[in-house]
Amino acid sequence: MALHIGSIAPDFTQESTEGTIHFHQWLGNSWGILFSHPKDFTPVCTTELGMTARLKPEFDKRNVKALGVSVDDVASHKRWTADIEETQHVKMNFPVLGDADKKVSKLYDMIHPEWNDTLTVRSVFVIDPNKKIRLIITYPASTGRNFQEILRAIDSLQLTDKYTVATPVDWKQGEDVIIAPSVTDPAVLKEKFPKGYKEVKPYLRVTPQPGK
Ligand code: BEZ
């Protein structure tokens, strides 16, 4: 069955560089990003895993756990880790699943046979504490992902959950946000958005980012 935004993230048990992962239990009350890499000992993947390790404090701040997936086994990942640490100047600090049996890659539709029968594309799933998939991104193997964009999107999701707002094009932390069209009661608007808002159009109401 196809996975969609709003689907419950399928649970699984798989080996990783940090031991056996029972996915839902491992997530606990955290958000998660589950992201695939086509293959060990490849250049783009090496830079992406290094960046994820470097950004751990940013993921921690947002209560997000990172979990990599690749179709090589754990022993291979562990050999590759030494290269990542050497070339990206960072200590690996999150688990990578050894998905040699492709259990997780298939469960999350990360193998696109029109491109390659055995390797994964670069998939990203952002999962919330209710285990719901909140964001899906798919990149081809040759294009490294933008992890600042992943953090920015997580910021938007978390802000939406907390304050019933949406974020406009190219929004970044601290910039104005959009009040969800569902919020119309004047008393609620006053309580939720004490700094007021600008009604550009009845459906486009802009307010300073709440909680800042
Ligand atoms: C890479 O990570 O550099 C890569 C992996 C598979 C295919 C193409 C590039």
Side-chain angles (χ1 to χ4, degrees):
M1 202 183 71
L3 295 179
H4 295 149
I5 288 177
S7 302
I8 294 295
D11 199 12
F12 58 80
T13 297
Q14 186 59 292
E15 295 310 310
S16 87
T17 49
E18 297 186 5
T20 307
I21 301 246
H22 305 286
F23 188 48
H24 282 194
Q25 191 186 327
W26 177 83
L27 282 169
N29 292 322
S30 299
W31 289 67
I33 62 162
L34 177 68
F35 60 116
S36 56
H37 300 90
K39 198 166 174 44
D40 290 3
F41 299 100
T42 50
V44 177
C45 301
T46 301
T47 61
E48 287 191 328
L49 291 181
M51 179 58 78
T52 308
R54 210 170 298 125
L55 288 175
K56 184 164 187 334
E58 292 299 321
F59 286 116
D60 286 349
K61 236 193 271 176
R62 294 162 175 81
N63 188 31
V64 179
K65 289 181 172 178
L67 181 58
V69 188
S70 153
V71 293
D72 294 302
D73 62 22
V74 168
S76 166
H77 293 350
K78 285 187 173 169
R79 288 194 301 277
W80 182 32
T81 293
D83 286 2
I84 297 168
E85 293 183 345
E86 179 197 328
T87 61
Q88 307 305 303
H89 313 290
V90 70
K91 194 115 191 86
M92 280 293 277
N93 50 23
F94 64 94
V96 179
L97 297 174
D99 198 38
D101 61 3
K102 303 187 176 63
K103 180 164 62 179
V104 176
S105 306
K106 285 182 178 164
L107 193 58
Y108 279 80
D109 196 23
M110 292 165 164
I111 295 177
H112 295 192
E114 295 81 356
W115 171 65
N116 190 293
D117 282 342
T118 52
L119 308 182
T120 66
V121 293
R122 296 186 194 282
S123 301
V124 184
F125 291 85
V126 176
I127 296 156
D128 73 15
N130 296 317
K131 315 291 182 285
K132 264 198 187 155
I133 295 173
R134 299 291 299 275
L135 181 90
I136 303 172
I137 308 175
T138 310
Y139 271 45
S142 51
T143 304
R145 288 159 286 200
N146 183 332
F147 282 72
Q148 293 299 334
E149 168 58 11
I150 294 171
L151 287 170
R152 189 194 74 90
I154 291 169
D155 284 343
S156 170
L157 289 167
Q158 294 186 343
L159 201 61
T160 301
D161 284 3
K162 203 163 172 190
Y163 295 107
T164 338
V165 293
T167 55
V169 60
D170 289 346
W171 172 86
K172 287 190 286 303
Q173 269 292 352
E175 294 180 353
D176 288 356
V177 299
I178 292 168
I179 299 173
S182 58
V183 186
T184 52
D185 182 333
V188 175
L189 282 163
K190 199 164 177 189
E191 186 207 320
K192 284 197 165 204
F193 308 108
K195 292 179 190 156
Y197 63 90
K198 183 175 164 201
E199 187 172 298
V200 183
K201 289 279 176 193
Y203 58 83
L204 175 55
R205 298 167 301 168
V206 179
T207 189
Q209 179 177 333
K212 272 279 166 190

